Amino acid sequence: MSTFSVVGLMSGSSLDGADLAWCTFQFAEDDPAQLLRWTLHRGVTIPYDESWQQRLRNAPELSGRELWLLHTELGLYYGQILRTFLDELPEKVDFVASHGHTVFHYPDQQTTTQIGDGAAIAGVLNVPVIDQFRTQDMALGGQGAPLAPLADQYFFSRYFACLNLGGISNISIKTDRGYVAFDVGGANQVLDAMMQEIGKDYDENGQLARTGQLIPVLKKAADALPFHAQLPPKSLGNDWVREQLLPLFQNTEYALEDRLHTYCHHMAGQIAASLRQVAENEQLTLTDQQELLVAGGGGFNAFLCECIAAAILPVQLEIAGSDIIAFKEAALMALAGALRWQQQPNLIPTVTGARRAAVGGAIHWAG
């Protein structure tokens, strides 16, 4: 049995902070792709202060020189927060797996940009660091996304479908030919951006959204965005959310609570449509014996989850435990790193559309 102690780092598009998760993985000695057991020991979110939030939000507008300087500086910052986290652990980790922060994602041009230099992190920590998980898949013609289905396959395989509600939402559905998964739309970053109009970071439990009323014309406009009609494989970048989706919901002619309410119903409707589209294409029957597991920060939004539960019937909704909700994506990166360390595929070609399964990730050795 091969055992690895790994810290995963994920910086989501909602810009709430960097999520760190310390995990251990035990793989079969004769099959390094077979995960026997895993444990999420500890997770923490290091919030971005206002300065970092603004710099990361503005990163797409930077010149090449400025962006590369930010790439290095963010890597050094990640190294510092990881150093503090690692110093508090009871054992030395084997390596760190960092997703970094996505600035650009253009699968039609086979390119993606995650900043937070892994070499800079390794230089601070003197521990091997793996980053750049998406690029090999994209070089093989894939979308490089979503990554979450890897966790769904290894951690949550008993579920019919898994939904990750981060800054962007993505869904994984188990079929006879493997997992079908794709990005559904914007998620927390849209809700949070609306809440910032009144100086709040998020709508706790969806309480304000619950008080609102549906705006049919707004929901119809959001549902009509061309991305929703595309067939998978498909994935989204933050630029799509900022340029096409968010402006619809920043129309202050409508009350904030009504826009929040409408957006939750829009999300729920698109998630349900995604389930039904895959079921039809794969000739699956949806029943009340099937469960959809919700993780990611949106799992803390009770009103949003109620909307989804009603929309996906007869499929039943289950909300993951609080640690999984908060740190699933960071644990996912730790898993992707553990597979990369053993030279095993860590992206799923039925999900991304790549020509073959990719072993994604660049290793930066320490010393």
Side-chain angles (χ1 to χ4, degrees):
M1 187 164 59
S2 302
T3 301
F4 301 98
S5 178
V6 190
V7 168
L9 181 151
M10 181 71 189
S11 174
S13 52
S14 56
L15 289 175
D16 53 346
D19 294 332
L20 312 180
W22 171 41
C23 305
T24 53
F25 303 100
Q26 295 177 331
F27 294 89
E29 194 69 44
D30 59 347
D31 183 2
Q34 183 184 357
L35 181 64
L36 301 177
R37 63 181 60 90
W38 77 287
T39 305
L40 170 58
H41 297 284
R42 186 179 302 176
V44 65
T45 297
I46 308 298
Y48 290 124
D49 62 23
E50 189 174 339
S51 173
W52 269 117
Q53 286 186 351
Q54 193 64 31
R55 296 177 72 190
L56 294 176
R57 188 174 291 116
N58 294 337
E61 312 305 323
L62 297 177
S63 69
R65 176 180 179 276
E66 291 168 330
L67 181 61
W68 214 242
L69 289 170
L70 181 61
H71 173 57
T72 301
E73 187 177 350
L74 185 61
L76 294 171
Y77 172 69
Y78 285 159
Q80 292 163 6
I81 63 174
L82 282 160
R83 176 78 280 157
T84 301
F85 185 70
L86 266 57
D87 286 346
E88 296 172 352
L89 300 185
E91 64 183 52
K92 182 178 174 62
V93 301
D94 295 301
F95 47 87
V96 167
S98 172
H99 177 270
H101 186 81
T102 298
V103 178
F104 302 115
H105 184 69
Y106 299 127
D108 57 329
Q109 299 175 60
Q110 292 184 276
T111 192
T112 188
T113 305
Q114 284 75 46
I115 62 171
D117 185 13
I121 300 173
V124 173
L125 299 181
N126 198 32
V127 169
V129 174
I130 308 174
D131 69 350
Q132 302 302 322
F133 285 94
R134 299 180 185 271
T135 52
Q136 184 65 61
D137 181 87
M138 298 185 85
L140 293 169
Q143 297 274 314
L147 297 175
L150 185 72
D152 302 335
Q153 175 179 308
Y154 275 87
F155 299 162
F156 311 116
S157 60
R158 77 176 186 86
Y159 292 93
F160 165 66
C162 294
L163 177 68
N164 192 69
L165 295 173
I168 288 173
S169 61
N170 54 68
I171 193 167
S172 307
I173 302 164
K174 195 187 301 185
T175 75
D176 291 341
R177 64 183 180 91
Y179 279 89
V180 173
F182 47 92
D183 288 341
V184 177
N188 299 335
Q189 61 178 304
V190 178
L191 294 169
D192 294 349
M194 284 191 276
M195 288 302 293
Q196 287 163 14
E197 295 173 16
I198 57 172
K200 294 188 177 181
D201 292 331
Y202 59 94
D203 182 14
E204 187 172 0
N205 294 323
Q207 292 174 349
L208 187 57
R210 188 183 296 279
T211 67
Q213 295 184 338
L214 187 71
I215 308 168
V217 66
L218 182 54
K219 182 177 183 297
K220 183 178 180 180
D223 289 341
L225 289 172
F227 176 82
H228 298 309
Q230 292 179 26
L231 295 176
K234 59 180 183 177
S235 60
L236 286 169
N238 295 329
D239 55 319
W240 180 88
V241 177
R242 287 192 307 268
E243 295 167 9
Q244 298 194 43
L245 182 61
L246 183 56
L248 295 175
F249 288 88
Q250 288 181 319
N251 185 346
T252 55
E253 292 180 10
Y254 303 112
L256 174 60
E257 60 269 27
D258 294 343
R259 285 181 281 138
L260 291 165
H261 184 96
T262 300
Y263 190 71
C264 288
H265 280 286
H266 161 70
M267 286 180 61
Q270 290 303 324
I271 290 160
S274 297
L275 271 178
R276 294 184 181 114
Q277 178 192 73
V278 172
E280 181 179 350
N281 291 344
E282 301 293 330
Q283 298 183 323
L284 301 172
T285 301
L286 300 180
T287 75
D288 60 7
Q289 300 302 304
Q290 297 160 331
E291 292 179 310
L292 180 147
L293 179 70
V294 174
F300 291 119
N301 187 320
F303 177 71
L304 173 59
C305 289
E306 289 169 20
C307 292
I308 296 169
I312 66 171
L313 288 172
V315 176
Q316 301 296 299
L317 182 132
E318 182 173 331
I319 300 173
S322 58
D323 281 353
I324 295 299
I325 288 177
F327 302 113
K328 174 188 175 182
E329 290 180 302
L332 156 68
M333 298 320 302
L335 170 66
L339 290 168
R340 170 63 183 91
W341 193 261
Q342 301 177 95
Q343 301 180 50
Q344 297 300 309
N346 52 11
L347 287 99
I348 304 172
T350 59
V351 168
T352 67
R355 294 191 295 276
R356 58 177 172 82
V359 180
I363 300 178
H364 304 276
W365 299 96

